[in-house]
Amino acid sequence: MDYRIDILEPDSDINVALDDLTREFAPLYTASWVNEKQRIYGKPFDMNVQTFAQLWFTKALKIFMAWDENGKPVGYLIGIPFRPLAYNSHVFQIEDWYAGGDRLCEAELFRYMETAVRFMGCDEVWISLGEQEQAPNLSIRWREASRTTQIRYTNS
């Protein structure tokens, strides 16, 4: 199957942008939670719409989308580019991705992201993984420099 991958950018017309976000991205984001992430986090889906939209409208949040040959959205990868506080680098922090279990679609999303972050000036990619998730294979241009552990604590 061939996929069209592109970055979902907010339109200058806020109504068009919200329609794009609602029509293209939101159903997949919900599906990823219901199908995969709810069992990992043990929480119901409750998107922080205000913060998400604000980050996207200011282009601080990047959404890469995959569409199938019929134009149906089938995958996404979202992340945030930033500069670490302690050293000089430009990081693309991958926050989440989903391809409905389609490994080819997932690989295409990561391949597109790799190219795009070079144009953003990023020289590092950070990925947080759940216990059952495996790191995606990035191209040979990227090498694993180190691993850190993210621990999630709750008081509920």
Side-chain angles (χ1 to χ4, degrees), residues 77 94 97 102-115 125 127 129 133-144 147:
L77 185 152
I94 297 172
W97 73 90
D102 184 329
R103 294 291 181 206
L104 178 59
C105 179
E106 181 178 287
E108 291 295 317
L109 280 163
F110 275 90
R111 195 170 2 264
Y112 189 92
M113 176 275 309
E114 286 183 60
T115 302
V125 174
I127 303 170
L129 299 172
E133 292 178 310
Q134 290 190 330
N137 292 322
L138 299 185
S139 71
I140 60 172
R141 288 191 301 252
W142 298 92
R143 64 174 178 75
E144 185 175 322
R147 287 191 177 229

Tab-separated table of all heavy atoms in Angstrom, residues 77 94 97 102-115 125 127 129 133-144 147:
chain	number	residue	atom	x	y	z
A	77	LEU	N	2.045	11.000	13.728
A	77	LEU	CA	3.186	11.107	14.628
A	77	LEU	C	3.207	12.559	15.089
A	77	LEU	O	3.169	13.466	14.255
A	77	LEU	CB	4.477	10.756	13.901
A	77	LEU	CG	5.761	10.705	14.734
A	77	LEU	CD1	6.749	9.720	14.095
A	77	LEU	CD2	6.415	12.042	14.896
A	94	ILE	N	9.423	13.149	20.322
A	94	ILE	CA	8.238	12.467	19.812
A	94	ILE	C	7.324	12.187	20.996
A	94	ILE	O	7.709	11.491	21.933
A	94	ILE	CB	8.611	11.169	19.075
A	94	ILE	CG1	9.465	11.505	17.851
A	94	ILE	CG2	7.346	10.397	18.682
A	94	ILE	CD1	10.048	10.298	17.153
A	97	TRP	N	2.672	8.380	18.549
A	97	TRP	CA	2.434	7.994	17.158
A	97	TRP	C	1.448	6.846	17.147
A	97	TRP	O	1.275	6.129	18.137
A	97	TRP	CB	3.731	7.634	16.441
A	97	TRP	CG	4.354	6.328	16.827
A	97	TRP	CD1	4.124	5.101	16.262
A	97	TRP	CD2	5.317	6.102	17.866
A	97	TRP	NE1	4.882	4.134	16.885
A	97	TRP	CE2	5.621	4.726	17.879
A	97	TRP	CE3	5.950	6.925	18.791
A	97	TRP	CZ2	6.525	4.171	18.768
A	97	TRP	CZ3	6.844	6.365	19.683
A	97	TRP	CH2	7.130	5.011	19.658
A	102	ASP	N	-0.149	-1.001	11.573
A	102	ASP	CA	0.422	-1.131	10.227
A	102	ASP	C	1.890	-0.705	10.276
A	102	ASP	O	2.203	0.481	10.352
A	102	ASP	CB	-0.368	-0.254	9.249
A	102	ASP	CG	0.092	-0.404	7.814
A	102	ASP	OD1	1.284	-0.670	7.571
A	102	ASP	OD2	-0.762	-0.226	6.917
A	103	ARG	N	2.789	-1.663	10.261
A	103	ARG	CA	4.226	-1.388	10.386
A	103	ARG	C	4.772	-0.573	9.207
A	103	ARG	O	5.684	0.231	9.378
A	103	ARG	CB	5.013	-2.702	10.520
A	103	ARG	CG	4.713	-3.437	11.798
A	103	ARG	CD	5.259	-2.669	12.969
A	103	ARG	NE	4.995	-3.376	14.200
A	103	ARG	CZ	4.892	-2.777	15.365
A	103	ARG	NH1	5.030	-1.491	15.452
A	103	ARG	NH2	4.649	-3.464	16.444
A	104	LEU	N	4.242	-0.782	8.008
A	104	LEU	CA	4.697	-0.015	6.849
A	104	LEU	C	4.313	1.450	7.002
A	104	LEU	O	5.126	2.348	6.778
A	104	LEU	CB	4.117	-0.582	5.549
A	104	LEU	CG	4.481	0.181	4.276
A	104	LEU	CD1	5.991	0.222	4.076
A	104	LEU	CD2	3.787	-0.439	3.074
A	105	CYS	N	3.098	1.704	7.424
A	105	CYS	CA	2.642	3.073	7.649
A	105	CYS	C	3.496	3.729	8.733
A	105	CYS	O	3.935	4.875	8.591
A	105	CYS	CB	1.161	3.080	8.032
A	105	CYS	SG	0.489	4.717	8.364
A	106	GLU	N	3.743	3.020	9.811
A	106	GLU	CA	4.578	3.538	10.897
A	106	GLU	C	5.977	3.875	10.393
A	106	GLU	O	6.523	4.940	10.699
A	106	GLU	CB	4.655	2.506	12.019
A	106	GLU	CG	5.463	2.940	13.206
A	106	GLU	CD	5.469	1.894	14.302
A	106	GLU	OE1	4.430	1.730	14.971
A	106	GLU	OE2	6.526	1.241	14.485
A	107	ALA	N	6.564	2.991	9.606
A	107	ALA	CA	7.902	3.223	9.065
A	107	ALA	C	7.920	4.458	8.167
A	107	ALA	O	8.869	5.253	8.208
A	107	ALA	CB	8.389	1.998	8.290
A	108	GLU	N	6.879	4.636	7.364
A	108	GLU	CA	6.800	5.809	6.488
A	108	GLU	C	6.668	7.097	7.294
A	108	GLU	O	7.262	8.118	6.947
A	108	GLU	CB	5.630	5.669	5.512
A	108	GLU	CG	5.829	4.595	4.463
A	108	GLU	CD	6.986	4.917	3.529
A	108	GLU	OE1	7.121	6.075	3.089
A	108	GLU	OE2	7.766	3.989	3.237
A	109	LEU	N	5.893	7.067	8.372
A	109	LEU	CA	5.772	8.244	9.233
A	109	LEU	C	7.123	8.617	9.827
A	109	LEU	O	7.513	9.788	9.833
A	109	LEU	CB	4.769	7.985	10.364
A	109	LEU	CG	3.304	8.122	10.006
A	109	LEU	CD1	2.433	7.455	11.062
A	109	LEU	CD2	2.932	9.591	9.853
A	110	PHE	N	7.862	7.629	10.323
A	110	PHE	CA	9.166	7.907	10.914
A	110	PHE	C	10.168	8.373	9.865
A	110	PHE	O	10.976	9.267	10.119
A	110	PHE	CB	9.688	6.694	11.693
A	110	PHE	CG	9.171	6.644	13.089
A	110	PHE	CD1	7.995	5.977	13.387
A	110	PHE	CD2	9.842	7.293	14.112
A	110	PHE	CE1	7.491	5.952	14.685
A	110	PHE	CE2	9.357	7.272	15.412
A	110	PHE	CZ	8.175	6.596	15.693
A	111	ARG	N	10.109	7.808	8.676
A	111	ARG	CA	11.016	8.222	7.602
A	111	ARG	C	10.768	9.695	7.232
A	111	ARG	O	11.694	10.482	7.085
A	111	ARG	CB	10.835	7.309	6.388
A	111	ARG	CG	11.937	7.409	5.389
A	111	ARG	CD	11.929	6.363	4.277
A	111	ARG	NE	10.853	5.395	4.235
A	111	ARG	CZ	10.908	4.165	4.751
A	111	ARG	NH1	11.989	3.732	5.362
A	111	ARG	NH2	9.887	3.335	4.630
A	112	TYR	N	9.492	10.060	7.132
A	112	TYR	CA	9.141	11.440	6.807
A	112	TYR	C	9.598	12.377	7.931
A	112	TYR	O	10.163	13.440	7.682
A	112	TYR	CB	7.627	11.565	6.587
A	112	TYR	CG	7.215	12.901	6.030
A	112	TYR	CD1	7.099	13.088	4.660
A	112	TYR	CD2	6.949	13.977	6.865
A	112	TYR	CE1	6.725	14.305	4.140
A	112	TYR	CE2	6.579	15.206	6.362
A	112	TYR	CZ	6.462	15.368	4.992
A	112	TYR	OH	6.099	16.584	4.479
A	113	MET	N	9.351	11.972	9.174
A	113	MET	CA	9.757	12.781	10.325
A	113	MET	C	11.262	13.006	10.320
A	113	MET	O	11.733	14.110	10.568
A	113	MET	CB	9.306	12.082	11.620
A	113	MET	CG	9.745	12.761	12.919
A	113	MET	SD	11.402	12.349	13.555
A	113	MET	CE	11.430	10.583	13.589
A	114	GLU	N	12.031	11.976	10.004
A	114	GLU	CA	13.488	12.103	9.978
A	114	GLU	C	13.940	13.195	9.012
A	114	GLU	O	14.829	13.982	9.332
A	114	GLU	CB	14.139	10.787	9.555
A	114	GLU	CG	14.117	9.721	10.609
A	114	GLU	CD	14.840	8.482	10.122
A	114	GLU	OE1	16.049	8.585	9.800
A	114	GLU	OE2	14.206	7.411	10.058
A	115	THR	N	13.334	13.228	7.850
A	115	THR	CA	13.673	14.257	6.866
A	115	THR	C	13.231	15.630	7.346
A	115	THR	O	13.983	16.598	7.271
A	115	THR	CB	13.010	13.933	5.512
A	115	THR	OG1	13.456	12.652	5.074
A	115	THR	CG2	13.345	14.986	4.469
A	125	VAL	N	16.728	13.271	18.368
A	125	VAL	CA	15.338	12.818	18.440
A	125	VAL	C	15.203	12.043	19.738
A	125	VAL	O	16.006	11.151	20.021
A	125	VAL	CB	14.972	11.909	17.239
A	125	VAL	CG1	13.583	11.327	17.396
A	125	VAL	CG2	15.081	12.679	15.922
A	127	ILE	N	12.534	9.788	22.160
A	127	ILE	CA	11.315	8.995	22.108
A	127	ILE	C	11.074	8.374	23.480
A	127	ILE	O	11.962	7.709	24.021
A	127	ILE	CB	11.423	7.861	21.062
A	127	ILE	CG1	11.742	8.422	19.681
A	127	ILE	CG2	10.144	7.036	21.029
A	127	ILE	CD1	12.088	7.361	18.652
A	129	LEU	N	9.042	5.553	25.498
A	129	LEU	CA	8.405	4.288	25.144
A	129	LEU	C	7.668	3.703	26.341
A	129	LEU	O	8.156	3.784	27.469
A	129	LEU	CB	9.447	3.271	24.675
A	129	LEU	CG	10.265	3.641	23.446
A	129	LEU	CD1	11.373	2.622	23.231
A	129	LEU	CD2	9.370	3.739	22.216
A	133	GLU	N	6.357	-1.200	24.246
A	133	GLU	CA	6.721	-0.591	22.962
A	133	GLU	C	8.204	-0.783	22.670
A	133	GLU	O	9.030	-0.869	23.585
A	133	GLU	CB	6.406	0.908	22.971
A	133	GLU	CG	4.927	1.215	23.021
A	133	GLU	CD	4.654	2.707	23.069
A	133	GLU	OE1	5.260	3.393	23.914
A	133	GLU	OE2	3.839	3.160	22.271
A	134	GLN	N	8.511	-0.849	21.395
A	134	GLN	CA	9.899	-0.939	20.959
A	134	GLN	C	10.255	0.317	20.185
A	134	GLN	O	9.404	0.893	19.496
A	134	GLN	CB	10.103	-2.152	20.066
A	134	GLN	CG	10.005	-3.460	20.803
A	134	GLN	CD	10.444	-4.616	19.944
A	134	GLN	OE1	10.303	-4.581	18.730
A	134	GLN	NE2	10.976	-5.640	20.572
A	135	ALA	N	11.497	0.718	20.303
A	135	ALA	CA	11.962	1.886	19.562
A	135	ALA	C	11.894	1.596	18.066
A	135	ALA	O	12.247	0.498	17.631
A	135	ALA	CB	13.390	2.238	19.972
A	136	PRO	N	11.442	2.569	17.306
A	136	PRO	CA	11.406	2.382	15.854
A	136	PRO	C	12.820	2.396	15.286
A	136	PRO	O	13.750	2.926	15.906
A	136	PRO	CB	10.610	3.591	15.368
A	136	PRO	CG	10.846	4.620	16.410
A	136	PRO	CD	10.966	3.880	17.707
A	137	ASN	N	12.976	1.804	14.139
A	137	ASN	CA	14.273	1.816	13.465
A	137	ASN	C	14.397	3.108	12.676
A	137	ASN	O	13.644	3.331	11.729
A	137	ASN	CB	14.403	0.619	12.518
A	137	ASN	CG	14.473	-0.675	13.275
A	137	ASN	OD1	15.086	-0.741	14.333
A	137	ASN	ND2	13.843	-1.704	12.751
A	138	LEU	N	15.323	3.946	13.087
A	138	LEU	CA	15.607	5.153	12.320
A	138	LEU	C	16.709	4.834	11.327
A	138	LEU	O	17.418	3.834	11.466
A	138	LEU	CB	16.017	6.295	13.247
A	138	LEU	CG	14.985	6.728	14.294
A	138	LEU	CD1	15.485	7.948	15.065
A	138	LEU	CD2	13.628	7.014	13.672
A	139	SER	N	16.867	5.688	10.336
A	139	SER	CA	17.867	5.423	9.302
A	139	SER	C	19.276	5.499	9.890
A	139	SER	O	19.479	5.948	11.023
A	139	SER	CB	17.717	6.435	8.165
A	139	SER	OG	18.150	7.705	8.593
A	140	ILE	N	20.242	5.114	9.101
A	140	ILE	CA	21.631	5.082	9.564
A	140	ILE	C	22.189	6.478	9.829
A	140	ILE	O	23.251	6.612	10.409
A	140	ILE	CB	22.539	4.317	8.574
A	140	ILE	CG1	22.516	4.980	7.196
A	140	ILE	CG2	22.161	2.866	8.512
A	140	ILE	CD1	23.532	4.416	6.226
A	141	ARG	N	21.463	7.526	9.411
A	141	ARG	CA	21.911	8.887	9.724
A	141	ARG	C	21.816	9.160	11.224
A	141	ARG	O	22.422	10.080	11.727
A	141	ARG	CB	21.057	9.914	8.975
A	141	ARG	CG	21.311	9.970	7.489
A	141	ARG	CD	20.632	11.165	6.880
A	141	ARG	NE	19.204	11.151	7.102
A	141	ARG	CZ	18.289	10.915	6.176
A	141	ARG	NH1	18.659	10.657	4.947
A	141	ARG	NH2	17.013	10.944	6.462
A	142	TRP	N	20.999	8.383	11.927
A	142	TRP	CA	20.801	8.571	13.359
A	142	TRP	C	21.380	7.370	14.086
A	142	TRP	O	21.181	6.236	13.675
A	142	TRP	CB	19.308	8.673	13.684
A	142	TRP	CG	18.640	9.830	13.031
A	142	TRP	CD1	18.016	9.821	11.819
A	142	TRP	CD2	18.535	11.159	13.525
A	142	TRP	NE1	17.532	11.065	11.540
A	142	TRP	CE2	17.826	11.913	12.570
A	142	TRP	CE3	18.951	11.786	14.684
A	142	TRP	CZ2	17.543	13.255	12.745
A	142	TRP	CZ3	18.666	13.130	14.859
A	142	TRP	CH2	17.971	13.847	13.893
A	143	ARG	N	22.075	7.615	15.168
A	143	ARG	CA	22.583	6.522	15.981
A	143	ARG	C	22.095	6.731	17.408
A	143	ARG	O	21.939	7.854	17.866
A	143	ARG	CB	24.100	6.437	15.928
A	143	ARG	CG	24.805	7.637	16.517
A	143	ARG	CD	26.320	7.458	16.577
A	143	ARG	NE	26.943	8.645	17.100
A	143	ARG	CZ	26.941	9.012	18.379
A	143	ARG	NH1	26.362	8.259	19.280
A	143	ARG	NH2	27.524	10.132	18.773
A	144	GLU	N	21.869	5.644	18.096
A	144	GLU	CA	21.444	5.742	19.490
A	144	GLU	C	22.619	6.231	20.320
A	144	GLU	O	23.673	5.609	20.347
A	144	GLU	CB	20.952	4.392	20.002
A	144	GLU	CG	20.397	4.474	21.398
A	144	GLU	CD	19.801	3.164	21.886
A	144	GLU	OE1	19.162	2.448	21.080
A	144	GLU	OE2	19.974	2.865	23.082
A	147	ARG	N	20.367	5.997	26.571
A	147	ARG	CA	18.995	5.687	26.978
A	147	ARG	C	18.752	6.281	28.354
A	147	ARG	O	19.632	6.262	29.206
A	147	ARG	CB	18.757	4.176	27.033
A	147	ARG	CG	18.681	3.566	25.668
A	147	ARG	CD	18.193	2.144	25.725
A	147	ARG	NE	18.075	1.661	24.359
A	147	ARG	CZ	17.017	1.051	23.890
A	147	ARG	NH1	16.002	0.799	24.685
A	147	ARG	NH2	16.970	0.658	22.645
